[in-house]
Amino acid sequence: MQVALQSLPHGPSFRFLDELVTLEPGKEASARYLVRGDEGFLAAHFPGNPMMPGVLLIEAIAQLGGIVVQPALTELRLTGVRAAKVLGAAVPGDVLEIRAKIEGSLGGLVQIEGDVSGPHGLLASAKVTLSGAVPGNG
């Protein structure tokens, strides 16, 4: 399953998935991410009280969704976020549990519902839309 992580277009410093726990291609997946404390975004968010920005929690959902939809779509992009809720903060040392499930798709669009939980419960949830190219439809 680690090969699937390498399929993400993001560089390692902007990848918010360390380990795939489950993967059912075309349906759903779960993953983990350790907030190490040395991530660049933590230095300024916030000095003396570092926490992972909520928008990056949502990005983690989108990244995991991207793994779920491959190889049915390529050249994936995040094109929409709906019903996003940030309910808590992730801090250095937290292991995050990320979940993403396909709700539906139409052509090159796919709707993902997902959430991120930390050691103290639900941190974020969102519905994200990914768009991409359908292989063979050039």
Side-chain angles (χ1 to χ4, degrees), residues 1 4 9 23 25 27 33 35 45 47-48 52 65 67 72 78 83-84 86-87 94 96 98 102-105 110:
M1 283 196 279
L23 175 60
K27 296 190 188 270
Y33 177 74
V35 183
H45 197 268
M52 189 170 178
I67 289 173
L78 175 61
V86 178
L87 306 167
D94 284 355
L96 306 181
I98 303 107
I102 294 178
E103 286 191 320
S105 62
V110 64

Side-chain angles (χ1 to χ4, degrees), residues 1-8 20 23 66-67 70:
M1 283 196 279
Q2 293 311 101
V3 172
L5 285 175
Q6 303 308 317
S7 71
L8 288 171
L20 282 176
L23 175 60
I67 289 173
Q70 291 184 37

Side-chain angles (χ1 to χ4, degrees), residues 29-88:
S30 63
R32 289 191 186 105
Y33 177 74
L34 169 64
V35 183
R36 298 179 314 275
D38 64 351
E39 295 93 342
F41 57 81
L42 289 176
H45 197 268
F46 297 98
N49 186 27
M51 63 183 71
M52 189 170 178
V55 70
L56 295 182
L57 298 173
I58 294 167
E59 173 67 19
I61 295 167
Q63 288 182 11
L64 185 55
I67 289 173
V68 175
V69 303
Q70 291 184 37
L73 293 177
T74 60
E75 301 173 36
L76 290 166
R77 302 288 184 265
L78 175 61
T79 56
V81 177
R82 294 185 313 115
K85 295 178 184 171
V86 178
L87 306 167

